[in-house]
Amino acid sequence: VQLQASGGGLVQPGGSLRLSCAGHGFRFGDYAIGWFRQAPGKEREGLACISPGGSVTYYSDSVKGRFTVSRDNFDNTAYLQMSSLEPEDTAVYYCAGDPQRISSVLCDMGPSGLGSWGQGTLVTVSS
């Protein structure tokens, strides 16, 4: 199971950015996918998670209404559309996948032993 997050970069406050999470080596459509972030000195935080088929999503209160998670199982890719970005959103963003956990549990607890973390991508929100 391989997951790779990409699309990070420098963005001004109030701006938007879309992150991608590409999956390889497994049946992408069988896995719930989640987006997480970790800022310096803070614990990793679950942000947005989506069910294997894409019909169920879960968002943390910190990003609800600003971030949107989606996926394209034909392209084995999940996305995190981020808008109204704030300096507090600066962090390394990770995606993770899990074949058993539902989206809310994935966001709350991270992937189980059957799941996997991807490499992160840095998002910096600054003027």
Side-chain angles (χ1 to χ4, degrees), residues 35-56:
W35 286 97
F36 302 77
R37 70 184 177 191
Q38 188 165 21
K42 294 187 177 181
E43 293 186 354
R44 186 145 35 187
E45 174 188 11
L47 304 175
C49 295
I50 187 166
S51 60
S55 62
V56 179

Side-chain angles (χ1 to χ4, degrees), residues 67-109:
F67 291 9
T68 302
V69 60
S70 61
R71 65 190 296 160
D72 184 339
N73 286 343
F74 290 103
D75 283 342
N76 292 344
T77 304
Y79 303 96
L80 184 67
Q81 178 68 47
M82 306 185 293
S83 61
S84 301
L85 285 164
E86 306 164 350
E88 292 74 24
D89 295 315
T90 295
V92 178
Y93 284 69
Y94 301 86
C95 59
D98 196 279
Q100 288 191 331
R101 289 185 167 169
I102 62 174
S103 51
S104 59
V105 175
L106 176 59
C107 265
D108 187 45
M109 300 181 66

Side-chain angles (χ1 to χ4, degrees), residues 2 24 27-28 35-36 39 42-43 63-64 70 91 97 124:
Q2 292 185 340
H24 304 278
R27 290 173 59 94
F28 189 81
W35 286 97
F36 302 77
K42 294 187 177 181
E43 293 186 354
V63 304
K64 194 175 297 181
S70 61
T124 303

